[in-house]
Amino acid sequence: QVQLVESGGGLVQAGGSLRLSCAASGRTFVTYAMGWFRQAPGKEREFVAAISWGGNRYYADSVQGRFTISRDNAKNTVYLQMNSLKPEDTAVYYCAVHKFIRIGAVPGRATFEYDYWGQGTQVTVSS
């Protein structure tokens, strides 16, 4: 059974940093792209970042330059380092496994392009 477990969320002041982790179990995702999404109250779930299984990284414009996605294939874990946090970053953050794509393909940014999801971790940024 595939399971994704996020951790690292919490309450932080504006300008602060958090590092989210997503540990996958049940199978290896070394050859799969991974992504982070977030959902604020009353809003749709939105793309934050993705990393291909080749290590290429992609970001939403709103987090470019502030967030960094990375992965440790040996640990089957993906990370999201979030710096210079803003109140508008407040949301539940979810990690997800992309449907299989060939090497070199760019991961999608739509939720339907991802197969497996974690339960989410709350990030709250106070002003």
Side-chain angles (χ1 to χ4, degrees), residues 2 11-12 16 21 38 43 50 52 59 63-64 68 72-73 76 79 87 89 96 104 107 111 116 119 124:
V2 174
L11 173 64
V12 64
S21 299
R38 66 187 181 187
K43 295 188 177 181
S52 70
Y59 299 96
V63 307
Q64 180 76 48
T68 302
D72 184 336
N73 288 333
N76 225 19
Y79 304 95
D89 294 319
T111 56
Y116 301 104
Q119 82 291 346
T124 302

Side-chain angles (χ1 to χ4, degrees), residues 5-21:
V5 179
E6 300 98 335
S7 61
L11 173 64
V12 64
Q13 288 188 333
S17 298
L18 284 174
R19 187 194 193 206
L20 305 184
S21 299

Side-chain angles (χ1 to χ4, degrees), residues 4-115:
L4 301 176
V5 179
E6 300 98 335
S7 61
L11 173 64
V12 64
Q13 288 188 333
S17 298
L18 284 174
R19 187 194 193 206
L20 305 184
S21 299
C22 173
S25 61
R27 58 177 290 187
T28 179
F29 292 107
V30 170
T31 57
Y32 285 79
M34 303 285 290
W36 284 96
F37 287 73
R38 66 187 181 187
Q39 187 166 18
K43 295 188 177 181
E44 293 188 353
R45 193 169 297 189
E46 64 174 3
F47 172 81
V48 174
I51 185 167
S52 70
W53 61 279
N56 294 320
R57 305 170 184 181
Y58 307 87
Y59 299 96
D61 290 345
S62 59
V63 307
Q64 180 76 48
R66 300 188 297 121
F67 290 10
T68 302
I69 188 171
S70 61
R71 64 191 299 164
D72 184 336
N73 288 333
K75 296 182 178 179
N76 225 19
T77 298
V78 64
Y79 304 95
L80 185 68
Q81 177 66 45
M82 305 186 296
N83 298 329
S84 302
L85 283 161
K86 304 175 181 180
E88 51 263 44
D89 294 319
T90 295
V92 177
Y93 284 71
Y94 300 88
C95 70
V97 180
H98 200 284
K99 297 178 188 293
F100 181 79
I101 52 177
R102 59 176 173 79
I103 187 170
V106 177
R109 301 184 177 216
T111 56
F112 71 85
E113 296 176 279
Y114 292 77
D115 270 338

